[in-house]
């Protein structure tokens, strides 16, 4: 649109707009009309980034309600843009050759005298020429270009007939009818990204979007009720991304469980507000679901239903989450080992994430990585890194030693370790009895472990290994102090590593408050003494 003082009449409440000079500064029109004490017509905007001047009121007069105290502004029409069509954006992005754009895209280095020296990219002209031939264009990125409507009917299909991937992140789209028109004219379209477009509630019918395989709706305000309505059009959807939409409940349309989505393999619900595991269970009958992302929610427990549980699951032979192999739960509120153990009940789960949960924070009452790996029997990728066969073996052996040391103090604790007997038998580990004093058998709390200390620091000189009897309750911090004394290393800052049999790399002991018992370190363990670099 051509901005002019009279163009304010083209604005409407609920419309998405951006600042004339900045297509990334996007907001929603909340008011159109006069402002007391000022001439002409004004447009009230609630800015997405929260960077305005007030909450919608000026000098005691309220014109609209902004989402925060300083996210609203009253703006003259020439300072706002109502956006452009999809086709205009394509022309601007791939065919525009304005001087300013060329200068912005120019690549250069600085000479010794601080002058710009241009770099000529070999093949750049050929690439640009190919992109400008729209009939050959298969994917396009039109992020933050102010797209607000499709354009002239049927021109999209004739202009870009082979479009397969379209990124419309951060534009001004809000009406699902417009999205339907765009998709309806792109029969080859398989992936569509509508992130950061604030979508209005979907009410009317969309045409069947049979070709769409990947749909990204991050930060669009889409709730699960909208997802259920969209499901009828997304007949072949394989990936659905719903990050940052404040979703707290999963609301199936006609059952206790979400139905349909017969091709859905990946569902991304990161950064939402789901607090109850019952809401997650409503997804358990999605038969093709392989990956479920629930990072940055509010979950405090995981529960896989047991065989005796009476519910709708008994009506089908399909096990909950039958084909799920990846479940990401980072940055939630999970703090109990019962939840960790329940992950073993998922039939095909091999990858999970528990980082930034209380249970995984060993400095605040959680447990270290080796304990979690030992308890998770089938996991092959944990917190984003592969669990190698060697790490699994070392973790399980350390875990068994840890449990044995605690059982001497409290025999009832075995009930809290479902895998203990299995692992103890697997590795043939015998109970490590505590030492006996004059007053009879002592508990592990006052028992001693035989530990071999080896200096490996470059500046430590050649020092003979020492084997010492150390209390099982000795902390890593205390052990560092003892090593300074044993090896006369007062001038050095030390780091300690546990060297485990068969492991190529020693394990850093970095928590000063953890005891040998807490770390699962048993008799005849070897600890390497190094210096901090």
């Amino acid at each position: 649109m051509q901005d002019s003082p009279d163009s304010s009449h083209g604005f409407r409440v609920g419309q998405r707009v951006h600042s004339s000079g900045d297509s990334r500064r996007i907001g929603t029109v909340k008011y159109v009309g006069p402002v007391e004490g000022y001439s002409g017509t004004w447009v009230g905007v609630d800015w997405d980034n929260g960077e305005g001047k007030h909450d919608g009121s000026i000098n005691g007069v309220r014109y609209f309600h902004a989402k925060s105290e300083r996210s609203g502004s009253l703006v003259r029409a020439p300072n706002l843009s109502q956006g452009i069509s999809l086709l205009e954006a394509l022309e601007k992005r791939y065919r525009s050759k304005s001087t300013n754009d060329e200068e912005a895209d120019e690549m250069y280095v600085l000479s010794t005298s601080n002058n710009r020296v241009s770099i000529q990219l070999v093949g750049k002209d050929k690439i640009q020429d190919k992109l400008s031939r729209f009939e050959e264009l298969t994917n396009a990125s039109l992020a933050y270009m102010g797209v607000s409507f499709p354009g002239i009917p049927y021109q999209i299909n004739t202009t870009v007939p082979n479009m397969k991937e379209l990124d419309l992140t951060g534009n001004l789209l809000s009406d699902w009818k417009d999205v339907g028109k765009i998709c309806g004219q792109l029969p080859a379209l398989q992936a569509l990204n509508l992130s950061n477009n604030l979508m209005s509630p979907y009410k009317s019918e969309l045409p069947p979007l049979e070709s769409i395989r990947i749909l990204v709706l991050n930060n669009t305000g889409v709730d699960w009720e909208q997802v259920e309505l969209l499901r009828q059009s997304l007949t072949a959807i394989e990936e659905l991304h719903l990050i940052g939409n404040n979703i707290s409940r999963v609301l199936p349309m006609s059952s206790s469980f979400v139905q349909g989505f017969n091709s859905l393999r990946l569902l991304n619900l990161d950064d939402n507000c789901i607090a109850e595991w019952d809401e997650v269970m409503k997804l358990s009958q999605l038969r093709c679901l392989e990956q479920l992302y629930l990072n940055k929610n509010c979950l405090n427990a995981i529960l896989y239903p047991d065989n005796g549980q009476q519910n709708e699951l008994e009506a089908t032979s399909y096990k909950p989450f039958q084909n799920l192999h990846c479940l990401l739960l980072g940055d939630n509120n999970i703090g109990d080992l019962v939840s960790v153990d329940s992950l073993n009940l998922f039939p095909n789960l091999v990858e999970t994430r528990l980082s930034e949960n209380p249970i995984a924070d060993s400095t605040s009452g959680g447990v270290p990585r080796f304990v979690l790996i030992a308890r998770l029997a089938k996991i092959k990728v944990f917190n984003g890194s592969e669990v190698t066969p060697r790490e699994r073996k070392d973790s399980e052996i350390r875990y068994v030693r840890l449990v044995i040391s605690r059982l001497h103090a409290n025999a009832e604790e075995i009930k809290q370790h479902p895998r203990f007997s299995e692992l103890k038998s697997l590795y043939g580990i015998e109970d490590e009895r505590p030492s006996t004093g004059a007053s009879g058998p002592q508990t592990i709390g006052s028992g001693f472990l035989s530990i071999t200390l080896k200096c490996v620091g470059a500046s430590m000189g050649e020092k003979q290994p020492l084997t010492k009897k150390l209390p099982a309750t000795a902390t890593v911090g205390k052990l560092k102090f003892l090593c300074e004394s044993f090896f006369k290393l007062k001038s050095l800052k030390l780091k300690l590593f546990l060297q485990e049999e068969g492991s190529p790399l020693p394990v850093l002991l970095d928590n000063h408050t953890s005891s040998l018992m807490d770390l699962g370190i048993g008799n005849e363990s070897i600890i390497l003494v190094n210096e901090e670099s």
Side-chain angles (χ1 to χ4, degrees):
M1 113 180 189
Q2 296 294 320
D3 289 324
S4 68
D6 293 331
S7 65
S8 60
H9 298 294
F11 290 96
R12 67 184 187 280
V13 173
Q15 181 180 10
R16 299 284 282 166
V17 295
H18 69 73
S19 172
S20 294
D22 184 358
S23 61
R24 289 179 174 267
R25 182 168 162 77
I26 300 171
T28 303
V29 174
K30 296 287 188 175
Y31 171 79
V32 180
V35 174
E36 190 175 303
Y38 297 88
S39 62
T41 303
W42 293 77
V43 183
V45 181
D46 194 6
W47 299 106
D48 291 0
N49 63 7
E51 295 178 2
K53 295 183 177 180
H54 48 71
D55 65 354
S57 62
I58 295 179
N59 299 327
V61 180
R62 178 162 296 283
Y63 298 95
F64 62 95
H65 290 274
K67 65 178 180 289
S68 67
E69 292 183 357
R70 300 191 67 82
S71 65
S73 295
L74 285 160
V75 187
R76 289 291 193 185
N79 295 321
L80 296 174
S81 171
Q82 299 189 58
I84 59 178
S85 72
L86 176 72
L87 291 174
E88 288 177 295
L90 281 166
E91 289 282 343
K92 188 176 179 180
R93 172 69 176 83
Y94 293 106
R95 284 182 175 165
S96 174
K97 293 187 177 181
S98 68
T99 303
N100 288 338
D101 286 344
E102 287 182 346
E103 289 177 356
D105 291 339
E106 180 186 8
M107 185 174 288
Y108 62 89
V109 294
L110 295 176
S111 68
T112 52
S113 56
N114 215 33
N115 293 321
R116 285 211 249 189
V117 178
S118 296
I119 297 174
Q120 180 64 42
L121 294 178
V122 177
K124 179 181 178 182
D125 291 340
K126 289 183 179 180
I127 294 171
Q128 188 62 42
D129 179 60
K130 183 177 180 180
L131 291 174
S132 67
R133 295 199 298 273
F134 282 176
E135 68 277 5
E136 298 181 17
L137 202 61
T138 58
N139 55 74
S141 176
L142 303 177
Y144 295 98
M145 295 200 68
V147 176
S148 59
F149 62 102
I152 300 173
Y154 309 113
Q155 274 199 0
I156 296 176
N157 177 252
T158 56
T159 305
V160 282
N162 296 306
M163 185 69 66
K164 293 181 179 179
E165 299 178 13
L166 181 59
D167 183 359
L168 291 170
T169 297
N171 281 284
L172 307 181
L173 295 165
S174 61
D175 194 328
W176 282 106
K177 285 184 181 179
D178 290 333
V179 175
K181 289 176 183 177
I182 292 171
C183 295
Q185 295 183 53
L186 297 173
L189 190 65
Q190 296 181 7
L192 177 63
N193 190 343
L194 292 171
S195 296
N196 297 342
N197 289 270
L198 187 60
M199 303 306 299
S200 300
Y202 166 58
K203 297 176 182 177
S204 59
E205 289 188 7
L206 285 177
L209 306 178
E210 296 175 352
S211 64
I212 297 293
R213 302 290 189 269
I214 301 171
L215 181 60
V216 185
L217 297 172
N218 299 338
N219 303 302
T220 56
V222 171
D223 60 18
W224 197 267
E225 289 178 305
Q226 295 292 296
V227 172
E228 288 287 325
L229 292 171
L230 289 168
R231 171 173 60 89
Q232 301 168 53
S233 294
L234 299 167
T235 54
I237 190 74
E238 296 179 6
E239 288 189 21
L240 181 58
H241 298 263
L242 298 164
I243 297 174
N245 287 326
N246 293 316
I247 295 172
S248 59
R249 298 195 63 198
V250 175
L251 300 169
M253 186 171 287
S254 58
S255 167
S256 298
F257 298 93
V258 174
Q259 304 292 324
F261 292 111
N262 294 326
S263 302
L264 189 65
R265 297 182 297 101
L266 187 155
L267 178 59
N268 190 338
L269 287 165
D270 284 352
D271 198 14
N272 279 287
C273 307
I274 300 172
E276 300 297 328
W277 186 255
D278 285 346
E279 300 300 319
V280 179
M281 283 302 301
K282 294 174 185 178
L283 304 167
S284 64
Q285 295 296 292
L286 295 175
R287 300 200 174 198
C288 288
L289 190 63
E290 297 175 354
Q291 300 178 67
L292 178 58
Y293 301 168
L294 292 165
N295 299 303
K296 293 187 178 181
N297 276 271
C298 308
L299 294 163
N300 53 28
I302 308 165
L303 178 63
Y304 192 89
D306 59 49
N307 294 331
Q309 195 167 342
Q310 299 292 320
N311 53 33
E312 275 186 47
L313 297 176
E314 294 183 355
T316 176
S317 60
Y318 182 78
K319 293 181 180 179
F321 296 112
Q322 175 69 54
N323 291 308
L324 192 71
H325 64 71
C326 175
L327 176 60
L328 305 186
L329 295 158
D331 202 357
N332 277 274
N333 301 318
I334 299 164
D336 65 296
L337 285 168
V338 173
S339 289
V340 174
D341 295 336
S342 71
L343 294 173
N344 288 316
L345 300 176
F346 287 72
N348 290 294
L349 192 67
V350 294
E351 178 176 357
T352 193
R353 178 181 292 275
L354 291 171
S355 53
E356 297 183 78
N357 279 278
I359 192 61
D361 185 0
S362 58
T363 63
S364 302
V367 297
R369 176 181 169 94
F370 83 88
V371 170
L372 295 171
I373 289 174
R375 296 184 82 113
L376 295 170
K378 298 178 290 186
I379 295 302
K380 296 179 180 178
V381 180
F382 184 63
N383 289 346
S385 63
E386 180 188 2
V387 178
T388 64
R390 181 172 281 113
E391 183 185 17
R392 173 159 294 285
K393 178 181 177 181
D394 290 345
S395 296
E396 290 174 346
I397 290 173
R398 288 180 67 189
Y399 173 67
V400 171
R401 289 172 176 166
L402 170 65
V403 177
I404 287 174
S405 69
R406 291 181 174 177
L407 289 180
H408 290 303
N410 179 12
E412 289 294 308
E413 183 160 331
I414 194 171
K415 296 176 182 178
Q416 301 173 25
H417 302 277
R419 297 199 69 213
F420 170 69
S421 297
E422 168 200 348
L423 294 175
K424 184 170 178 286
S425 174
L426 174 65
Y427 295 110
I429 299 174
E430 298 297 327
D431 286 1
E432 294 169 352
R433 298 296 176 186
S435 60
T436 302
S439 59
Q442 297 175 317
T443 66
I444 192 68
S446 59
F448 287 79
L449 301 172
S450 177
I451 303 294
T452 298
L453 305 170
K454 290 184 177 181
C455 285
V456 295
S459 64
M460 293 177 178
E462 292 188 13
K463 296 183 183 293
Q464 292 297 316
L466 294 177
T467 299
K468 295 286 186 179
K469 292 280 188 179
L470 300 174
T473 54
T475 64
V476 172
K478 177 66 174 177
L479 186 53
K480 283 186 180 182
F481 176 78
L482 291 173
C483 288
E484 289 177 0
S485 176
F486 291 155
F487 295 110
K488 297 180 171 54
L489 300 172
K490 297 286 186 181
S491 60
L492 297 178
K493 209 168 182 181
L494 303 183
K495 288 197 299 186
L496 304 182
F497 296 84
L498 175 64
Q499 180 176 292
E500 299 196 274
E501 186 177 353
S503 178
L505 295 173
V507 178
L508 176 64
L509 306 178
D510 57 351
N511 187 342
H512 280 210
T513 61
S514 293
S515 68
L516 301 179
M517 180 175 63
D518 292 334
L519 296 169
I521 296 174
N523 269 320
E524 300 181 3
S525 292
I526 298 173
I527 290 179
L528 307 179
V529 183
N530 205 340
E531 57 192 309
E532 288 194 4
S533 55

